[in-house]
Structure formats: structure tokens, C-alpha cells
Amino acid sequence: MKKLIKTINEIENILTSLEVVLKKEYHNLLNPKISIIDNLESIEEKKILFKKYIILNQDRLFLEKKYHIFAPYQNNNELNNNWNNILKKFYLLKELNFKNKILINKRYHLNQCFLELFSTYKTAITYNFNGNVKI
């Protein structure tokens, strides 16, 4: 049973780390002067945290079957409290992720409009045999 409690605590810690990464990503998306490298680093951090979460979740499912106890853990107060905290984190992460997607879509839309303008401008330019630009 202690392994299950430890696993759930680790899941809670990973979700807290994900929250920090998503808040950092939101801040980076709000500030246009932040480099793309910072955004890529946050994506890598998220990948690592999600991999850890998947492994811990598989362990949690195995331990639940082993001990014949399942979420929301009504019989054990400590597990029940931790599980409620995890659910709250999930809702918070979902909200943060939604905000980030909105910002990404706004930026993508502006970039897409720029690329469309650039592509029409680019098609209007031709080159002659000497490599000189013809308009």
C-alpha cells in the first residue's frame, strides 16, 4: 500500500512540475521577444514529464489491481486526499493548456497571414536566365 501512496505522490509532483512548465510556456507566448529555443526547451520538458507520468500511471494501475483498491480511494483518507489534489491539478492543467492553445493559434494565424502575403509576393517575382530579378 505504501508503494501506491508513493506512486500517487510522485504523480502529484509531476503534475505540479507540468503546471510550472505550462505557466512558463504561457509567459513565453505572451512575450514575443522570447526566443524559439526557450519554447522548444519547454516542449522537451513537457515530453519528459509526460513520459514519467505515463510510467507512473501504469505502475499505479498495476498496484491498484494488486491491492484491489481503485480510485477515488474512499476507504483510505490519505489516498483519497491525494487523488482529489490530482484531479484539481488535472483541471488546472487543462485550463492552462487551453490558454496556451489560444495564444498559439493567434500567433499561428498572424504568421500564416504573413506567409500568405509573402507567398503572393514571391510568386510575383521571376528571374531571367542571368539570375537577375524581374518584376
Coordinates of all heavy atoms in Angstrom, one line a residue, residues 107-123:
R107 N -1.0 33.4 -32.7 CA 0.3 33.6 -33.3 C 0.4 32.9 -34.6 O 0.9 33.5 -35.6 CB 1.4 33.2 -32.4 CG 1.8 34.1 -31.3 CD 3.0 33.7 -30.6 NE 3.7 34.8 -30.1 CZ 4.9 34.7 -29.6 NH1 5.5 33.6 -29.4 NH2 5.5 35.8 -29.2
Y108 N -0.1 31.7 -34.7 CA 0.0 30.9 -35.9 C -0.8 31.6 -37.0 O -0.4 31.7 -38.1 CB -0.5 29.5 -35.7 CG -0.6 28.7 -37.0 CD1 0.6 28.3 -37.6 CD2 -1.8 28.4 -37.6 CE1 0.6 27.5 -38.7 CE2 -1.8 27.7 -38.8 CZ -0.6 27.3 -39.3 OH -0.7 26.6 -40.5
H109 N -2.0 32.2 -36.6 CA -2.9 32.9 -37.6 C -2.1 34.1 -38.2 O -2.2 34.3 -39.4 CB -4.2 33.3 -37.0 CG -5.1 34.0 -37.9 ND1 -5.7 33.4 -38.9 CD2 -5.5 35.3 -37.9 CE1 -6.4 34.3 -39.6 NE2 -6.3 35.5 -39.0
L110 N -1.5 34.8 -37.3 CA -0.7 36.0 -37.8 C 0.4 35.6 -38.7 O 0.6 36.2 -39.7 CB -0.2 36.8 -36.6 CG -1.3 37.6 -35.8 CD1 -0.6 38.2 -34.6 CD2 -2.0 38.6 -36.6
N111 N 1.1 34.5 -38.3 CA 2.2 34.1 -39.1 C 1.7 33.5 -40.4 O 2.3 33.7 -41.4 CB 3.0 33.0 -38.3 CG 3.8 33.6 -37.2 OD1 4.1 34.8 -37.2 ND2 4.2 32.7 -36.3
Q112 N 0.6 32.8 -40.4 CA 0.0 32.3 -41.6 C -0.4 33.4 -42.5 O -0.1 33.3 -43.7 CB -1.2 31.4 -41.3 CG -1.7 30.6 -42.4 CD -0.7 29.6 -43.0 OE1 0.1 29.1 -42.2 NE2 -0.8 29.4 -44.3
C113 N -1.0 34.4 -42.0 CA -1.3 35.6 -42.9 C -0.1 36.2 -43.5 O -0.1 36.5 -44.7 CB -2.1 36.6 -42.1 SG -3.7 36.2 -41.5
F114 N 1.0 36.3 -42.7 CA 2.2 36.9 -43.2 C 2.8 35.9 -44.3 O 3.2 36.4 -45.4 CB 3.3 37.0 -42.1 CG 4.6 37.4 -42.6 CD1 4.9 38.7 -43.0 CD2 5.6 36.5 -42.7 CE1 6.1 39.0 -43.5 CE2 6.9 36.8 -43.1 CZ 7.1 38.1 -43.6
L115 N 2.8 34.6 -44.1 CA 3.3 33.7 -45.1 C 2.4 33.7 -46.4 O 3.0 33.6 -47.5 CB 3.3 32.3 -44.5 CG 4.4 32.0 -43.5 CD1 4.3 30.6 -42.9 CD2 5.8 32.3 -44.0
E116 N 1.1 33.9 -46.2 CA 0.3 34.0 -47.4 C 0.6 35.3 -48.2 O 0.7 35.2 -49.5 CB -1.2 34.0 -47.0 CG -1.6 32.6 -46.6 CD -3.1 32.6 -46.1 OE1 -3.7 33.7 -46.1 OE2 -3.5 31.6 -45.6
L117 N 0.8 36.4 -47.5 CA 1.2 37.6 -48.2 C 2.6 37.4 -48.9 O 2.8 37.8 -50.0 CB 1.3 38.8 -47.2 CG -0.1 39.3 -46.7 CD1 0.1 40.3 -45.7 CD2 -0.9 39.8 -47.9
F118 N 3.5 36.8 -48.1 CA 4.9 36.6 -48.6 C 4.8 35.7 -49.9 O 5.5 35.9 -50.8 CB 5.7 36.0 -47.5 CG 7.2 35.7 -48.0 CD1 8.0 36.8 -48.2 CD2 7.6 34.5 -48.2 CE1 9.3 36.6 -48.6 CE2 8.9 34.3 -48.6 CZ 9.8 35.3 -48.8
S119 N 4.0 34.6 -49.8 CA 4.0 33.7 -51.0 C 3.4 34.4 -52.2 O 3.9 34.2 -53.3 CB 3.2 32.5 -50.6 OG 1.8 32.8 -50.4
T120 N 2.4 35.3 -52.1 CA 1.9 36.0 -53.2 C 2.9 37.0 -53.7 O 3.0 37.2 -54.9 CB 0.6 36.8 -52.9 OG1 0.8 37.6 -51.8 CG2 -0.5 35.8 -52.6
Y121 N 3.7 37.6 -52.8 CA 4.7 38.5 -53.3 C 5.8 37.7 -54.0 O 6.4 38.1 -55.0 CB 5.3 39.2 -52.0 CG 6.5 40.1 -52.4 CD1 6.3 41.3 -53.0 CD2 7.8 39.8 -52.0 CE1 7.3 42.2 -53.3 CE2 8.8 40.6 -52.3 CZ 8.6 41.8 -53.0 OH 9.6 42.6 -53.3
K122 N 6.1 36.5 -53.5 CA 7.2 35.7 -54.0 C 6.8 35.2 -55.4 O 7.7 35.2 -56.3 CB 7.5 34.5 -53.1 CG 8.6 33.7 -53.5 CD 8.8 32.6 -52.4 CE 9.9 31.7 -52.9 NZ 10.1 30.6 -51.9
T123 N 5.6 34.9 -55.6 CA 5.2 34.4 -57.0 C 5.2 35.6 -58.0 O 5.3 35.3 -59.2 CB 3.8 33.8 -56.9 OG1 2.8 34.8 -56.4 CG2 3.8 32.6 -56.1

